[in-house]
Amino acid sequence: MNYELDQISEELTEAISESFENLFFADIEQCVSVNEIETEEEALIVSVDTIAPFKGKVGLIIDKEMSEEIVMEMVGGDFDLIDKEMIADALSEIGNTIVGRFLSKIVPEDEEFSLGFPECIKWNPDDYNYKSSENCKLFDLELEDKHVFCVLNKD
């Protein structure tokens, strides 16, 4: 099967939308392709490598405030009980869920897929030079007044 980014991008955004709805009851109102990621907010990036059927990476850039809201919604907890490790773990699980759902949508049932371990770190735009290209697709996902950025990168 051909895994061209233009052809599989819709399945990724569907997987994100479904996961956000199921995990913390958030609806993505709009998804727009962008040429670069522009955010001034303090944010985290959760990324998961795809190993098979293609080598690449899926990343989500989520601002700090929204990350905290997501974790509170998921665990039903008190903000005072939520720490950085809990946020990183929850976002990593979300990343893992999204990429697993995405790959299950694009890979035929008689084939297998493989993904790496999720990583959640502080977003620093100087460390990443994501620009939309043939091998990299970027999306701005709007949820109410918040934005989550998504990266689909193929090696």
Side-chain angles (χ1 to χ4, degrees):
M1 178 162 184
N2 187 2
Y3 296 102
E4 295 299 319
L5 293 188
D6 286 335
Q7 296 173 346
I8 60 175
S9 295
E10 185 174 332
E11 286 85 354
L12 174 59
T13 56
E14 284 177 12
I16 294 168
S17 182
E18 291 168 4
S19 297
F20 276 33
E21 285 179 23
N22 292 335
L23 294 171
F24 48 91
F25 312 107
D27 290 324
I28 295 176
E29 298 169 358
Q30 184 174 350
C31 175
V32 178
S33 291
V34 294
N35 291 324
E36 60 186 292
I37 296 170
E38 296 180 19
T39 182
E40 299 297 322
E41 303 291 326
E42 184 177 348
L44 298 170
I45 180 169
V46 59
S47 60
V48 180
D49 291 331
T50 58
I51 298 167
F54 63 89
K55 292 197 179 292
K57 183 181 294 285
V58 175
L60 293 173
I61 296 105
I62 306 172
D63 76 49
K64 183 180 180 228
E65 182 180 319
M66 183 172 189
S67 298
E68 293 167 350
E69 290 174 15
I70 288 170
V71 174
M72 285 193 322
E73 185 68 38
M74 285 177 65
V75 300
D78 185 352
F79 178 75
D80 295 333
L81 301 176
I82 296 173
D83 60 19
K84 290 179 183 179
E85 184 176 335
M86 186 181 288
I87 292 170
D89 288 347
L91 293 182
S92 293
E93 187 57 38
I94 290 168
N96 199 45
T97 299
I98 288 169
V99 176
R101 187 175 293 223
F102 163 59
L103 291 176
S104 70
K105 285 179 172 291
I106 65 169
V107 175
E109 287 185 27
D110 61 336
E111 293 182 28
E112 293 184 9
F113 63 83
S114 179
L115 53 117
F117 293 106
E119 177 183 38
C120 183
I121 59 174
K122 184 176 179 182
W123 165 254
N124 183 350
D126 295 332
D127 293 342
Y128 300 91
N129 190 21
Y130 290 127
K131 303 267 189 218
S132 186
S133 69
E134 183 179 312
N135 294 323
C136 185
K137 299 298 174 196
L138 307 174
F139 305 95
D140 179 354
L141 309 167
E142 187 177 332
L143 297 94
E144 297 176 10
D145 62 342
K146 304 282 185 193
H147 294 266
V148 173
F149 294 93
C150 177
V151 177
L152 175 56
N153 199 16
K154 187 174 174 187
D155 295 340

